[in-house]
RNA sequence: UGGGCCGUCGCCAAGCGGUUAAGGCACCGGGUUUUGAUCCCGGCAUUCGGAGGUUCGAAUCCUCCCGGCCCAGCCA
């Protein structure tokens, strides 16, 4: 029954590291880092990077740091720092060192002075507009800035005064002097420092200039003795600059940047801009809405850290722009939950069934296995009474072909209980079915009925012994595989991405569930007690995923 | 049209000059089952974007072509 663990697949990054180890590069050390900017919530795309970086370190007996890339104080704050740490920990990883790019502001400044002294950096006093127009285009080379030949002394003086706060935002920038005619636009005298007279969460008002990503990242990696700096494909063009900085300066190390493809998932959107819009427009309840692809949202939906890690292992790491089907994610969470979740019965859209040949006060205690294949999950008692609730779509007056649930005059097994027969259908004035009158076959408890076959089995909850609860049924947020490519995001929103059932009947024991405790509601799917809103008094469950359904509807 | 990168089954993905081209997901059968679940068994690329070439031998090397992605923030 237990599946063998998926073997660790080889990938191009592991191949590179194996080669480095074989050549005894870096003295056999493997050091990676996960470097988020604390400007938003982490999502499943980041999970791929987290699993890759921490996973590589673990597999090779190396280290992995968590480093906040906090070089742009106007976009960053402490709330995100806390949330990111919590997400990484929840995923089951421990960082070796907690770092911030801002830890290196002094070194970064000194290295910049060194570049100026080498004649490799200069202060440009052009406007942003002028800098842009002189950069050229994708097909035309740029033109040198009129400030690129300032003397070293003048550059040193200006840069020191930039640091001292003598100038306002935008008056000057520090640029590397590389090649304005390069085919790679990142090499056309990239900006190293800009003036930002704003408060920084960690350095306060110490600085009025802040280093840019390209200049900061490579040096931060070097300062931490990172061996393999893993990032996404869009940074491929930045690698020459990464290497230029480290080749030009005397840094403690020269890490190797390796790029891999970011995660793309069908029916999801991972762009921060769009996720923000969903939250701001009230399309979801917040960043932790169970439909959101954020780690906090996925967690609230009921996914497990182990499933997310397994997902990353299975999708692999390549340089291909890959679109992963939802089925991959869903299969993995089902496998995990099937293995680890106790079973319960719950009725989401109830119809009352009265078993007419039972006494009004009938109350039988039935013993149910908590897991059909795992004895160690133990058993529980379930009350069977004269009135029970069943789900509305387990009864049909006009059944489709091969329907094997309850129909007028037909029989069906109440799971773990008796076979009942529908004798009478009661409707209200609107013609809606409100009650079914049934009889039961007393000889069918734990036995097959005699002389006939009853194929259908449906779940149920005692009307008097069950507890009422709210159950939120979630589905994908979008109706198209690639909503990001649509003309209008709104038009692709799935109007049925959430269905709240407020009058559900659950087995009584479910009220005692702890927040984030997971169950399989038999025949319905896997559900989790809501992390924030569930309580014994007001049970609230979220559907994580349905059961696999091979019955063509 | 400048620079960088990518094309192996419907979706992922191993493969690194000699293998009958792994594996997972999906799909299609069949069996077990008091969850239309789980589980089990079987099927599913004579072919690696295309065309040439090198070689005894090519998905793996070379050339050209085709298709796709990324880059012109004082964002990361």
């Amino acid at each position: 029954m237990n599946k063998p663990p998926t073997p660790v697949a080889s990938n191009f990054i592991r191949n590179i590291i194996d080669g480095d180890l074989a050549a005894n590069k870096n003295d056999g050390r493997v050091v990676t880092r996960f470097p988020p900017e604390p400007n938003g919530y982490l999502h499943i795309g980041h999970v791929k990077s987290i699993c890759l970086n921490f996973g590589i370190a673990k597999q090779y007996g190396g280290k992995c740091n968590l480093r906040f890339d906090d070089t742009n104080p106007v976009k960053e704050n402490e709330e995100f720092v806390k949330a990111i740490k919590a997400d990484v920990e929840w995923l089951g990883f421990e960082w070796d060192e907690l770092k911030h790019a801002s830890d290196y502001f002094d070194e970064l400044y000194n290295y910049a002075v060194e570049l100026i002294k080498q004649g490799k950096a200069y202060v440009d006093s052009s406007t942003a507009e002028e800098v842009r127009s002189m950069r050229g285009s994708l097909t035309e080379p740029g033109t040198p800035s009129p400030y690129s030949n300032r003397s070293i002394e003048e550059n040193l003086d200006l840069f020191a005064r930039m640091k001292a706060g003598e100038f306002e935002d935008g008056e000057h920038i520090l640029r590397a002097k590389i090649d304005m005619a390069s085919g790679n636009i990142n090499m056309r005298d990239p900006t190293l420092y800009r003036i930002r007279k704003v408060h920084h969460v960690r350095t306060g008002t110490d600085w009025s200039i802040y280093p840019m990503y390209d200049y900061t990242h490579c040096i931060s990696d070097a300062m931490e003795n990172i061996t393999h700096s893993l990032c996404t494909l869009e940074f491929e063009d930045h690698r020459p600059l990464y290497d230029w900085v480290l080749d030009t300066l005397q840094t403690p190390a020269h890490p190797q940047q390796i790029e891999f493809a970011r995660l793309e998932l069908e029916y999801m959107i991972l762009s921060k801009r769009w996720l923000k819009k969903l939250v701001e427009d009230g399309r979801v309840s917040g960043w932790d809405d169970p439909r959101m692809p954020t780690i906090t949202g996925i967690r609230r939906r009921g996914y497990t850290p182990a499933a997310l890690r397994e997902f990353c292992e299975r999708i692999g790491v390549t340089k291909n722009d890959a679109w992963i089907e939802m089925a991959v994610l869903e299969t993995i969470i089902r496998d995990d939950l099937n293995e680890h979740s106790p079973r319960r019965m719950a009725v989401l859209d109830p119809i009352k069934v009265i078993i007419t040949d039972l006494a009004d006060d009938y109350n039988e205690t039935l013993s149910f296995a908590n897991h059909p294949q795992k004895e160690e999950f133990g058993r529980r008692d379930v009350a069977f009474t004269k009135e029970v609730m069943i789900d509305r779509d387990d009864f049909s007056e006009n059944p489709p072909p091969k329907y094997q649930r309850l129909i007028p005059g037909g029989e069906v097994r109440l799971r773990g209980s008796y076979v009942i027969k529908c004798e009478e259908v009661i409707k209200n004035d609107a013609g809606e079915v409100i009650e079914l009158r049934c009889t039961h076959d007393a000889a069918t408890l734990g036995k097959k009925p005699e002389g006939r076959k009853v194929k259908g089995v449906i779940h149920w909850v005692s009307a008097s012994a069950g507890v009422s609860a709210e159950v939120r049924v979630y589905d994908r947020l979008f109706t198209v595989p690639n909503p990001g490519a649509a003309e209008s995001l709104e038009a692709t929103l799935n109007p049925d991405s959430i269905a709240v059932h407020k009058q559900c009947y659950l087995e009584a024991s479910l009220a005692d569930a702890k927040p984030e405790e997971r169950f399989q509601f038999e025949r319905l799917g896997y559900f989790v007690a809501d992390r924030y809103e569930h309580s014994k008094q007001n049970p609230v469950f979220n559907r994580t995923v349905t059961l696999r359904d091979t019955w063509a509807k």
Side-chain angles (χ1 to χ4, degrees):
Chain A
M1 175 134 346
N2 285 306
K3 289 180 180 169
T6 305
V8 174
S10 80
N11 64 47
F12 80 103
I13 294 178
R14 292 201 255 245
N15 291 345
I16 289 171
I17 295 175
D18 288 341
D20 290 345
L21 256 18
N24 200 36
K25 190 177 173 184
N26 305 311
D27 304 318
R29 288 177 307 113
V30 174
V31 186
T32 58
R33 95 275 90 113
F34 172 60
E37 179 186 16
N39 70 341
Y41 289 89
L42 260 29
H43 55 64
I44 193 165
H46 295 105
V47 173
K48 180 177 180 179
S49 177
I50 292 169
C51 288
L52 214 212
N53 280 293
F54 284 94
I56 288 280
K58 187 175 254 174
Q59 288 147 24
Y60 287 94
K63 294 174 189 270
C64 180
N65 294 343
L66 171 60
R67 180 169 75 228
F68 289 100
D69 226 326
D70 56 350
T71 57
N72 188 358
V74 307
K75 295 166 66 181
E76 299 150 6
N77 70 52
E78 196 61 22
E79 173 197 352
F80 296 129
V81 169
K82 287 174 71 175
I84 290 169
K85 286 185 192 169
D87 287 344
V88 173
E89 286 174 330
W90 178 74
L91 279 171
F93 296 107
E94 286 176 31
W95 48 86
D96 282 276
E97 292 188 69
L98 178 64
K99 295 291 190 178
H100 296 76
S102 54
D103 294 338
Y104 312 119
F105 279 176
D106 285 328
E107 288 86 344
L108 257 0
Y109 179 80
N110 292 334
Y111 278 128
V113 168
E114 174 59 27
L115 284 178
I116 293 172
K117 287 179 176 169
Q118 286 188 36
K120 301 277 179 61
Y122 62 94
V123 172
D124 195 325
S125 308
S126 307
T127 63
E129 185 66 28
E130 288 164 343
V131 168
R132 191 190 339 136
S133 69
M134 287 187 290
R135 190 156 26 234
S137 72
L138 290 178
T139 52
E140 297 157 332
T143 50
S145 164
Y147 299 97
S148 61
N149 287 318
R150 284 221 251 231
S151 70
I152 289 173
E153 291 66 33
E154 187 180 7
N155 283 321
L156 252 15
D157 174 62
L158 251 14
F159 188 49
R161 289 163 62 195
M162 281 167 66
K163 181 188 186 231
E166 289 187 28
F167 307 112
E168 296 310 308
D169 289 13
E171 281 191 56
H172 309 283
I173 54 174
L174 183 73
R175 302 177 77 178
K177 192 171 180 175
I178 307 179
D179 178 9
M180 288 306 290
S182 172
N184 181 346
I185 292 174
N186 294 298
M187 299 299 270
R188 319 238 266 230
D189 291 10
T191 304
L192 266 22
Y193 271 90
R194 75 287 219 193
I195 298 171
R196 283 282 180 283
K197 294 191 151 178
V198 295
H199 181 271
H200 184 285
V201 188
R202 301 188 72 250
T203 62
T205 53
D206 291 355
W207 296 86
S208 45
I209 55 173
Y210 291 94
M212 298 289 288
Y213 164 86
D214 283 307
Y215 176 65
T216 307
H217 207 89
C218 51
I219 292 177
S220 302
D221 282 345
M223 301 296 292
E224 292 170 25
N225 262 292
I226 300 301
T227 55
H228 302 272
S229 180
L230 314 180
C231 61
T232 43
L233 246 28
E234 67 270 28
F235 291 103
E236 277 178 319
D237 289 345
H238 297 241
R239 180 157 25 95
L241 179 51
Y242 183 105
D243 289 331
W244 180 90
V245 172
L246 297 184
D247 285 340
T248 307
L249 262 7
Q250 296 295 312
T251 55
H254 188 143
Q256 179 182 5
Q257 174 177 305
I258 304 171
E259 310 85 10
F260 62 93
R262 35 177 359 131
L263 171 67
E264 302 279 12
L265 255 178
E266 290 190 343
Y267 299 98
M268 279 197 189
I269 196 145
L270 265 26
S271 133
K272 188 170 294 171
R273 172 170 147 250
W274 287 119
L275 294 179
K276 189 160 181 269
K277 186 165 166 55
L278 290 174
V279 173
E280 287 174 349
D281 291 356
R283 302 295 189 168
V284 293
S285 63
W287 289 93
D288 59 0
D289 186 292
R291 292 165 293 180
M292 289 286 274
T294 50
I295 295 179
T296 184
I298 292 170
R299 172 178 180 175
R300 196 170 172 196
R301 178 74 169 259
Y303 273 73
T304 63
L308 258 16
R309 281 186 251 116
E310 172 63 17
F311 173 70
C312 291
E313 202 53 53
R314 279 202 219 175
I315 59 175
V317 182
T318 67
K319 292 172 88 95
N320 298 338
D321 296 307
W323 279 84
I324 310 298
E325 293 177 340
M326 284 284 277
V328 177
L329 226 204
E330 293 186 340
T331 296
I332 290 167
I333 187 60
R334 282 188 191 115
D335 285 350
D336 185 0
L337 265 15
N338 175 48
E339 198 72 8
H340 301 109
S341 304
R343 314 286 114 133
R344 291 291 185 271
M345 290 199 290
V347 173
L348 271 39
D349 187 8
I351 311 185
K352 181 179 285 185
V353 168
I354 298 181
I355 299 161
T356 56
D357 51 355
L358 246 30
D360 287 354
D361 62 351
Y362 189 84
N363 193 324
E364 181 175 6
T365 301
L366 302 174
S367 177
F368 277 61
N370 285 328
H371 193 294
Q373 286 87 23
K374 292 169 178 278
E375 279 295 323
E376 64 273 26
F377 273 68
R379 305 185 70 82
R380 69 186 187 284
D381 290 338
V382 176
F384 176 61
T385 54
K386 182 184 178 77
E387 295 189 2
V388 301
M389 297 296 181
I390 67 168
D391 255 310
R392 183 149 238 115
D393 54 3
D394 282 336
F395 172 77
S396 176
E397 286 189 289
N398 301 295
K402 295 189 178 172
Y403 188 79
Q404 47 186 244
R405 307 174 190 179
L406 195 57
I407 60 174
E411 285 186 301
V412 78
R413 155 94 51 194
L414 289 181
R415 162 118 250 228
S417 176
Y418 303 87
V419 168
I420 59 169
K421 181 178 183 183
C422 178
E423 309 282 3
E424 191 181 356
V425 179
I426 312 293
K427 298 180 184 178
N428 62 15
D429 294 342
E432 296 163 336
V433 175
I434 54 168
E435 186 180 304
L436 301 174
R437 302 264 166 96
C438 301
T439 52
H440 82 296
D441 181 344
T444 55
L445 183 64
K447 297 189 188 72
K448 292 195 190 314
E450 285 190 23
R452 64 207 195 271
K453 278 183 186 165
V454 174
K455 192 135 198 239
V457 178
I458 65 174
H459 55 92
W460 54 276
V461 170
S462 161
S464 53
V467 295
S468 68
E470 176 172 326
V471 175
R472 299 162 182 172
V473 171
Y474 296 105
D475 199 352
R476 56 181 57 143
L477 249 184
F478 299 98
T479 55
V480 297
N482 183 3
E487 346 57 58
S488 147
L489 233 220
E490 276 73 22
T492 68
L493 276 169
N494 176 7
D496 303 314
S497 62
I498 179 172
V500 179
H501 298 262
K502 291 185 178 292
Q503 305 298 329
C504 305
Y505 279 78
L506 310 185
E507 276 184 41
S509 66
L510 250 7
D512 295 322
K514 300 284 171 287
E516 297 201 279
E517 198 172 346
R518 304 173 177 91
F519 301 89
Q520 182 197 93
F521 289 176
E522 292 208 31
R523 300 211 312 132
L524 295 178
Y526 296 96
F527 294 74
V528 63
D530 190 78
R531 187 181 173 191
Y532 304 113
E533 296 173 33
H534 171 84
S535 69
K536 187 175 174 65
Q537 293 68 37
N538 293 296
V540 177
F541 285 83
N542 301 325
R543 186 176 76 187
T544 307
V545 67
T546 61
L547 253 30
R548 185 158 170 264
D549 183 6
T550 49
W551 185 55
K553 279 203 168 179

